[in-house]
Amino acid sequence: MDIKQLKFLIALDETRHFGQAAARCHITQPTLSMRLRSLEEELGLPLVNRGQRFEGFTAPGERVLAWARTVLAAYDGLQAEAAACRGNLVGTLRLGVVPLSDFDPLTMMQRLHTEHPSLRFELSSLSSERILEQLANNRIDLGISYLERLDNERFEALPFSHTRMGLLYDQRFFFFGEEPLRWESLVELPLGMLTSGMHFRQSIDHAFHSRGLAPQPLLQTDAVHQLLQAVHGGLCCAVVPLDSGLKVLTEELRIQPIENAQTLVPLGLIMRRGAPRSALAEACFALYQKSITFP
């Protein structure tokens, strides 16, 4: 058994396709199949359900896959720890961020990359529930998520301030003057929103309902880019983080502040407490602690 075999197993889980897994690992498909069969023979267990195509993992395969992730994370952590002892950071920092966060990960990534050019980044947009799940399963190193009901025994967090909210619109289609908007004035607008259940949407719903207002969204979506496309096309306006930086995407977009508008729960930078915890995650966590420019 070697590290490469475990990487092949994880690649198959992530792609759910033998050919794509082989391509990701820069080997041929027959080589991938041969190395996985060799792993099965060594363990004395069938790991993969095979047909004309990949049909999933066996029950023992799922358990071995969980161990493979832990072993590979420990291996990557060892490499990163050795590099950190030499004064360098190497490897890939895996970061999960909730949709419509006013935390700009680009600032953090730029600073880390400047100080450590060999560092790479993997950025995922995930729900707050998925962020905690993937942190626990060691699929990501750090999360930017809401701190509501956070298990402090399992996760360490650095809180940000509450997110202020504003109305994003395209000035070619809408005009609101200079004064902050009131929630009562928004209810009649064509609004685009994230789907119900998302934390940011819950804060918007609370703001309306606490004032006895019942907006009827013109558009609901779970994809931020689709929401931005709809706003840019003049179909709707959208309540977004006031300091999200979205208005710089095009010259036409503007964000108008909303009175008494902030999220119900603050965001925070979250890292799991238990091992394996990479040197990359710890370095990023420490960097935020020393800086007030990120939130």
Side-chain angles (χ1 to χ4, degrees):
M1 185 188 307
D2 59 41
I3 289 293
K4 287 186 177 180
Q5 286 173 299
L6 302 184
K7 288 182 177 179
F8 299 161
L9 197 68
I10 292 170
L12 183 59
D13 176 49
E14 292 178 348
T15 62
R16 318 299 289 183
H17 189 279
F18 285 107
Q20 293 177 17
R24 174 180 293 192
C25 297
H26 307 291
I27 58 174
T28 64
Q29 183 171 331
T31 299
L32 178 83
S33 296
M34 179 187 68
R35 296 300 305 277
L36 291 180
R37 287 191 183 280
S38 176
L39 179 61
E40 289 176 318
E41 291 172 3
E42 180 175 349
L43 296 175
L45 292 169
L47 304 179
V48 180
N49 291 317
R50 293 176 174 85
Q52 292 185 341
R53 59 176 63 90
F54 175 73
E55 296 180 356
F57 291 93
T58 63
E62 292 286 355
R63 298 177 66 175
V64 169
L65 181 63
W67 277 104
R69 290 190 180 280
T70 299
V71 171
L72 193 58
Y75 174 81
D76 290 341
L78 186 153
Q79 297 286 348
E81 193 69 34
C85 290
R86 298 192 301 269
N88 301 315
L89 289 179
V90 299
T92 300
L93 178 69
R94 303 166 299 171
L95 183 66
V97 182
V98 291
L100 288 185
S101 163
D102 67 347
F103 178 89
D104 183 6
L106 180 60
T107 303
M108 180 173 62
M109 292 188 293
Q110 285 175 329
R111 181 168 175 181
L112 283 169
H113 181 64
T114 298
E115 296 179 5
H116 307 282
S118 297
L119 195 58
R120 299 291 180 265
F121 304 94
E122 183 177 302
L123 187 62
S124 303
S125 177
L126 302 167
S127 68
S128 54
E129 292 79 9
R130 288 284 290 162
I131 284 176
L132 295 181
E133 176 187 320
Q134 294 206 14
L135 279 170
N137 294 334
N138 195 34
R139 290 175 179 257
I140 59 175
D141 302 303
L142 293 170
I144 307 297
S145 185
Y146 296 96
L147 302 183
E148 184 181 28
R149 296 188 296 272
L150 185 70
D151 186 345
N152 293 313
E153 292 186 0
R154 300 176 64 197
F155 302 104
E156 185 174 354
L158 295 172
F160 307 153
S161 58
H162 283 265
T163 300
R164 296 181 301 157
M165 295 188 287
L167 186 74
L168 181 71
Y169 65 95
D170 190 305
Q171 64 177 346
R172 296 172 299 175
F173 305 98
F174 298 93
F175 177 75
F176 299 105
E178 301 296 330
E179 296 299 318
L181 300 170
R182 301 177 69 246
W183 288 102
E184 288 79 3
S185 66
L186 302 185
V187 72
E188 299 299 331
L189 292 175
L191 292 176
M193 296 186 184
L194 294 177
T195 50
S196 298
M198 292 188 173
H199 272 77
F200 193 79
R201 169 66 185 274
Q202 291 173 6
S203 294
I204 297 172
D205 287 344
H206 174 78
F208 278 119
H209 296 161
S210 64
R211 293 168 173 81
L213 304 172
Q216 300 296 320
L218 177 63
L219 170 69
Q220 299 185 75
T221 177
D222 61 359
V224 173
H225 75 277
Q226 291 179 341
L227 186 61
L228 297 180
Q229 286 176 336
V231 172
H232 187 250
L235 177 67
C236 60
C237 306
V239 179
V240 301
L242 186 61
D243 301 319
S244 62
L246 295 174
K247 65 181 180 182
V248 303
L249 294 178
T250 74
E251 295 181 354
E252 295 82 14
L253 291 180
R254 296 289 184 272
I255 296 182
Q256 193 82 357
I258 303 171
E259 290 182 354
N260 301 316
Q262 65 177 22
T263 52
L264 296 171
V265 182
L267 288 167
L269 181 66
I270 305 173
M271 177 172 61
R272 62 180 169 276
R273 292 187 181 275
R277 195 165 80 175
S278 74
L280 304 184
E282 292 178 346
C284 180
F285 211 71
L287 186 61
Y288 171 73
Q289 284 179 305
K290 289 190 260 185
S291 174
I292 62 172
T293 62
F294 291 166

